Amino acid sequence: MRMIFMTASALALIGIATGTLAPAQSAFAGDQLTITSWGGAVQAGLRKAAFEPFTRATGIKVTEAEYSGDIAKVRTMVETKTVSWDVLDASGTTAVVICNQGLVETIDWKKLGLDRTKFGDAANYDCGVPSYGSATVVAYDKDKLPNGPKTIADLFDTKKIPGKRGLWKSPYPNLEWALIADGVETKDVYKILATREGVERAFKRLDTIKNDVIWWTAGAQAPQLLADGQVVMTAAFNGRIVDAAKESGRRFEIMWDAANAGMSYWTIPTGSPHRDEAYKFLAFAGSPQPQADLTHYIPYAPANKDAMTLVDPAVLPYLSTTPEHDAIALHGSPPFWIEYGDELRQRFTAWLAK
């Protein structure tokens, strides 16, 4: 039977980690926490897997907020000392940037009580607890495109597969995909993209499909483009595609070649008004059961390795971190995008305007 409530041992661990975790019935009425995530299917899943069980376990009320990765809003709150978010769901480059800029706290893992080694390389990040792995993939409707794309090169081959493509209106990961489609090995992408010649090569490849692209800016738009038949394939977030297929009954399929894999983190904005409660949530959300439970609602992979044994085997084919998917994935490079991001975003915006 699937568990939603935390096990007694897991709750005991969190109690030790925070030192003050009280049973729900003894929590003060004023105990509360504002948690900000990405909205849509992922936030709905987090609500069921983490927010609501956390409130049941601790009595701490969770108020939700949504954002679209806007760092400027976090910076403004911190600099003006008007922080209203206690926990922030930050992904990839965003997490590194806000850490480097002092917008989120360095995490005290001893205070958390979690075993940092259980999170592998993802735990090398100092300002958050790894939460879930996701990927930007290429998706298509098998009913409309029975012989769908097999490699990222097919995304750029309008002769082999005619029709419009949906792409995220961002240089990332379009520039990386363009180079891979042009023959660059995945492991060499960032070395090549760091050169002037590499950038020119990527944009030249993007030029070949520019007139066949419908650009999207929000995760929910990608599956809608497929459902409406506006595109034959689209870049999309893997969880959004699986959720849309489940809700609509459509045969949306994922092509995993060069899937742009990344990790999200639970962070605490500097100046959080409920810092102690935020630590309790990070300890809870970083434990195996809530991370495994998220996969029941959206197929985003647990960061805690102990959670994988709790995941329904039927969900595994949809997770970005399986050995099969990891072997052919494009692993994003936050340091690269911190160094070159502003320049490439300006170039991308100018390219779109041509």
Side-chain angles (χ1 to χ4, degrees):
M1 182 178 70
R2 176 165 61 86
M3 293 182 63
I4 294 296
F5 292 91
M6 293 293 292
T7 62
S9 58
L11 287 174
L13 170 64
I14 297 168
I16 293 171
T18 60
T20 58
L21 180 60
Q25 60 267 29
S26 63
F28 292 105
D31 285 352
Q32 58 183 316
L33 200 60
T34 297
I35 302 176
T36 301
S37 187
W38 299 89
V42 65
Q43 190 146 335
L46 290 168
R47 183 179 306 123
K48 295 295 184 182
F51 303 165
E52 292 175 356
F54 174 73
T55 295
R56 291 196 293 266
T58 65
I60 297 172
K61 178 185 177 182
V62 171
T63 299
E64 297 181 34
E66 298 179 12
Y67 84 135
S68 59
D70 185 4
I71 294 175
K73 185 168 185 177
V74 183
R75 183 183 299 112
T76 297
M77 285 195 297
V78 172
E79 291 179 349
T80 59
K81 300 187 187 307
T82 56
V83 177
S84 58
W85 296 348
D86 302 301
V87 175
L88 178 65
D89 182 359
S91 60
T93 303
T94 298
V96 177
V97 169
I98 59 180
C99 182
N100 289 348
Q101 295 182 359
L103 302 180
V104 290
E105 292 196 8
T106 299
I107 296 300
D108 181 351
W109 281 79
K110 290 183 178 179
K111 182 179 176 68
L112 282 177
L114 294 170
D115 183 351
R116 195 169 183 173
T117 66
K118 297 294 186 181
F119 297 87
D121 291 342
N124 292 336
Y125 175 65
D126 290 331
C127 292
V129 173
S131 52
Y132 56 86
S134 60
T136 305
V137 298
V138 173
Y140 63 98
D141 187 335
K142 195 170 181 63
D143 286 332
K144 296 180 180 179
L145 196 64
N147 298 313
K150 303 298 187 294
T151 69
I152 205 67
D154 291 338
L155 177 67
F156 291 80
D157 193 339
T158 55
K159 290 183 179 179
K160 180 179 178 180
I161 306 178
K164 296 289 186 180
R165 279 87 165 119
L167 288 180
W168 190 5
K169 198 174 185 179
S170 164
Y172 171 81
N174 294 314
L175 295 177
E176 292 97 321
W177 280 354
L179 286 178
I180 295 170
D182 206 49
V184 174
E185 294 286 336
T186 303
K187 62 182 177 62
D188 296 328
V189 162
Y190 291 106
K191 180 175 67 176
I192 300 297
L193 198 55
T195 68
R196 184 182 301 275
E197 295 78 13
V199 172
E200 295 300 326
R201 184 176 174 182
F203 277 103
K204 185 176 180 180
R205 190 66 185 226
L206 280 172
D207 279 337
T208 65
I209 61 169
K210 186 176 183 181
N211 293 333
D212 294 293
V213 172
I214 295 178
W215 300 98
W216 55 263
T217 56
Q221 291 175 279
Q224 193 61 51
L225 288 173
L226 276 184
D228 293 344
Q230 295 186 59
V231 298
V232 295
M233 65 182 83
T234 183
F237 305 138
N238 70 297
R240 293 274 191 172
I241 285 295
V242 175
D243 181 72
K246 181 174 63 176
E247 292 297 319
S248 68
R250 307 292 284 269
R251 290 208 299 162
F252 294 161
E253 296 283 343
I254 291 174
M255 192 277 293
W256 287 98
D257 182 54
N260 182 212
M263 182 61 63
S264 289
Y265 297 85
W266 292 118
T267 63
I268 302 176
T270 303
S272 159
H274 303 100
R275 185 173 178 273
D276 288 342
E277 290 83 359
Y279 260 88
K280 291 177 183 179
F281 177 77
L282 264 61
F284 183 95
S287 58
Q289 193 69 57
Q291 294 208 349
D293 283 342
L294 178 61
T295 66
H296 293 298
Y297 304 105
I298 191 167
Y300 285 158
N304 189 323
K305 294 179 181 179
D306 285 348
M308 289 303 294
T309 60
L310 305 174
V311 175
D312 184 344
V315 177
L316 293 177
Y318 305 106
L319 301 184
S320 62
T321 56
T322 62
E324 296 81 6
H325 296 157
D326 186 69
I328 57 175
L330 165 70
H331 296 282
S333 174
F336 173 89
W337 282 99
I338 288 173
E339 182 173 356
Y340 298 102
D342 288 344
E343 177 184 345
L344 291 176
R345 277 186 282 271
Q346 290 174 11
R347 173 72 186 274
F348 184 76
T349 300
W351 175 80
L352 284 175
K354 289 181 182 178

